[in-house]
Amino acid sequence: FENIPAVLSTPDYIVKGNNNRRGNEAVEFIKKFKNKDYHVVMSVVVERNEKKLVFNTMYIKNLKVVLNKKPMQ
């Protein structure tokens, strides 16, 4: 969880996420750290005619490393 501020303040990507169960739109912030993608998903919530971003979830995806191998002879 200590990486959440870095993901939100300096993301590598910002993408529109899927709507959550309540139908709220979502915004996904993605940051790469050491061969892993950290995803922080924030929901767009309307309160008193004001849109706010509310933390929804966070997950990490391991990036696949492809090694260049020479073909066997």
Side-chain angles (χ1 to χ4, degrees):
F1 289 103
E2 68 264 3
N3 291 324
I4 291 174
V7 175
L8 294 176
S9 63
T10 57
D12 294 324
Y13 305 98
I14 300 174
V15 296
K16 182 182 184 303
N18 297 326
N19 292 2
N20 66 11
R21 286 183 236 156
R22 295 182 178 163
N24 296 329
E25 293 178 356
V27 179
E28 193 166 345
F29 297 83
I30 305 166
K31 178 92 176 162
K32 293 182 187 309
F33 290 109
K34 298 179 183 176
N35 291 330
K36 294 181 183 180
D37 277 347
Y38 285 71
H39 297 249
V40 175
V41 181
M42 306 287 284
S43 293
V44 180
V45 177
V46 178
E47 288 182 0
R48 299 184 185 114
N49 295 327
E50 239 180 66
K51 288 185 178 182
K52 297 180 180 182
L53 285 177
V54 177
F55 179 81
N56 191 349
T57 191
M58 176 184 176
Y59 61 94
I60 302 167
K61 283 187 175 179
N62 289 324
L63 299 176
K64 293 181 181 178
V65 177
V66 178
L67 301 175
N68 290 331
K69 292 185 178 180
K70 293 181 181 177
M72 295 180 75
Q73 296 178 350

